[in-house]
Amino acid sequence: MHIQKHTLPGVMPGTQHVLNSYHFGKEGSGPHVYLQAGLHADELPGIVLLHRLCRRLEALESEGHIRGQLTVVPMANPQGMTQYLQGQHSGRFDGISSENFNRYYPDLSAVAELDTAADSAKVRQALRQALAALPVISTVEALRHTLFDMALQADIVLDIHCDSEAVLHLYGNNRHLKAVSELAGFCRQGRRCYAMKLVACHLMMRWYRIGGAWRVGSVFIWIFHWR
């Protein structure tokens, strides 16, 4: 396991935050998977989950059982973790700008429209270069750029969220329906390994306005479980 420390500017002069990413496996030995949790910093179960996953991956790596590469960011929002006021944790919105931490990422759609048949490494590098060329003028923008850059290096990206009350579900792009459905089949909960059944799959064409144009939707997969 290799730990990389990413230094982010703090809100006040003379302060900073440190974002840790944990790296497993060898570059080029297989698919690269990126996982992050706690982007909404008050959603704590995902943070605990990925910390436990890191311990398991460290053991598997020492035994030579990891094929491919994994980057894990258990606590993706150190700034949000500090936002306590009178005993209440407010980790969903930036305390300075009031922006949702999970919104307003840089629009690289013009670069993303490059020939998809081109070498994936070249396309990925072009995206990273376009991101690096954009100005960073706030603490929250520095966080977005750092997370975005790590995600751009991976083949598979999982962003883990939770809610106070919700049915277990997955989001995925409509082009990835088959892959997301297969992932849903691997879901297990608890030590009894509850059986998971995909009972409904709704294709929800949600339109978003990006860069002045209306674009793509997403797949919403509901997964119910029983003993």
Side-chain angles (χ1 to χ4, degrees), residues 3-36:
I3 302 175
Q4 185 174 355
K5 296 184 179 294
H6 309 264
T7 302
L8 305 173
V11 174
M12 300 300 294
T15 65
Q16 65 181 24
H17 301 289
V18 177
L19 175 69
N20 291 335
S21 60
Y22 300 82
H23 303 263
F24 305 88
K26 296 181 179 179
E27 183 177 357
S29 61
H32 184 177
V33 179
Y34 172 81
L35 303 97
Q36 70 175 35

Side-chain angles (χ1 to χ4, degrees), residues 82-187:
T82 69
Q83 293 186 165
Y84 274 88
L85 179 63
Q86 297 180 345
Q88 299 296 319
H89 188 191
S90 177
R92 187 177 185 86
F93 300 95
D94 174 31
I96 303 299
S97 66
S98 298
E99 293 178 353
N100 190 319
F101 283 115
N102 198 27
R103 302 291 188 274
Y104 308 112
Y105 277 72
D107 179 11
L108 303 181
S109 57
V111 181
E113 291 172 358
L114 293 171
D115 184 3
T116 55
D119 180 80
S120 61
K122 292 182 179 179
V123 174
R124 185 175 286 122
Q125 185 62 26
L127 289 167
R128 294 185 66 197
Q129 289 175 350
L131 177 65
L134 296 176
V136 176
I137 60 175
S138 68
T139 300
V140 68
E141 285 189 358
L143 175 67
R144 289 169 181 151
H145 280 229
T146 300
L147 296 175
F148 200 177
D149 184 68
M150 285 192 285
L152 285 173
Q153 299 175 55
D155 303 298
I156 300 170
V157 176
L158 296 177
D159 182 19
I160 299 173
H161 288 258
C162 69
D163 202 343
S164 56
E165 183 176 352
V167 175
L168 180 63
H169 60 276
L170 297 172
Y171 279 107
N173 189 282
N174 55 1
R175 293 171 299 175
H176 304 150
L177 175 58
K178 183 177 183 297
V180 175
S181 299
E182 291 175 353
L183 176 61
F186 286 101
C187 288

